Amino acid sequence: MSVRAHEEILRRIVDRRYAQGARLVEREVAEELHMSRVPVREALRALVAEGLLELLPHSGVRVRRLEHADVEHLYEVWEPLAVQASRLAARAAARGDTAGPAALSELLRQAEEAAAAGERAREVAAHTAFHDRIVAMAGNPLLSRTLEQLSRQLRLLFGLRAEPGRMRSQHAEMYRHIAAGDPEAAAACTLLHVRDSRTVALRGLFGEDDPSDGES
């Protein structure tokens, strides 16, 4: 039940039913989710640990309001790791990994299906899973553990994208290069994708463009 509560609360944060800065009251969230307070309490604690919620002195939790520095720091870490993950995934495909590319293709299909149905949260989940699967293909446990810590916050930023069709197109290009076993092409298009994602996140959150956008 705590896992289900975690996913439901996360979904509401991603689709902005729980807006940034909104205070969440354990009892009220439990009533909304038709659950007891114990699994909700556990889920809220987990989301605090993941950096999506923050504790309020003597008054529960609130949805963390991402600051400019938070976004900058996240992308500074994610960019080189995402690029390397795609490079390693393409090398795995070149060595004969067929299950990984097949899983990526299925996630692309799920994202398209969710977009056609207007199910934004499900589409965002598919996009996040797409990146997670690339990391799994890379076969580097240290890389996996490091990126796992970023996954939830990335899911939130993916949910802010105003041009989801553009993300689907970029993911499709990444998939083509990974499935073809071309490490450097996969790395190059992943770099462009991450930088575009950064620009969109800055624009969506702060109404500004990334000053480095012209460099890519």
Side-chain angles (χ1 to χ4, degrees), residues 75-112:
Y75 278 97
E76 284 170 0
V77 174
W78 185 42
E79 180 180 300
L81 297 179
V83 169
Q84 183 64 4
S86 287
R87 183 181 285 116
L88 294 174
R91 289 177 185 170
R95 291 194 301 267
D97 180 353
T98 58
L104 292 177
S105 179
E106 170 60 18
L107 289 166
L108 289 175
R109 186 197 66 76
Q110 290 178 19
E112 291 285 354

Side-chain angles (χ1 to χ4, degrees), residues 186-198:
C189 69
T190 300
L191 177 62
L192 292 176
H193 167 59
V194 172
R195 289 185 175 178
D196 181 67
S197 178
R198 177 179 177 170

Side-chain angles (χ1 to χ4, degrees), residues 1-3 5-6 35-44:
M1 290 297 288
S2 63
V3 172
H6 180 283
M35 292 182 181
S36 69
R37 294 174 64 170
V38 173
V40 169
R41 183 180 308 130
E42 292 172 352
L44 294 175

Side-chain angles (χ1 to χ4, degrees), residues 15-137:
D15 67 19
R16 286 170 276 183
R17 275 184 285 176
Y18 294 156
Q20 290 191 49
R23 180 170 173 262
L24 300 185
V25 178
E26 179 186 302
R27 172 182 50 77
E28 294 175 356
V29 174
E31 289 174 356
E32 288 177 17
L33 302 183
H34 305 290
M35 292 182 181
S36 69
R37 294 174 64 170
V38 173
V40 169
R41 183 180 308 130
E42 292 172 352
L44 294 175
R45 286 174 179 168
L47 287 162
V48 168
E50 291 165 11
L52 293 177
L53 299 177
E54 58 186 359
L55 289 171
L56 293 171
H58 313 296
S59 58
V61 298
R62 69 181 172 194
V63 179
R64 183 180 173 192
R65 190 181 298 279
L66 290 175
E67 303 294 340
H68 194 286
D70 296 324
V71 178
E72 293 286 0
H73 294 160
L74 181 62
Y75 278 97
E76 284 170 0
V77 174
W78 185 42
E79 180 180 300
L81 297 179
V83 169
Q84 183 64 4
S86 287
R87 183 181 285 116
L88 294 174
R91 289 177 185 170
R95 291 194 301 267
D97 180 353
T98 58
L104 292 177
S105 179
E106 170 60 18
L107 289 166
L108 289 175
R109 186 197 66 76
Q110 290 178 19
E112 291 285 354
E113 181 182 82
E119 297 179 7
R120 184 74 177 120
R122 187 159 69 92
E123 181 186 353
V124 170
H127 289 318
T128 308
F130 180 86
H131 281 280
D132 290 345
R133 184 61 201 185
I134 291 174
V135 174
M137 278 188 71

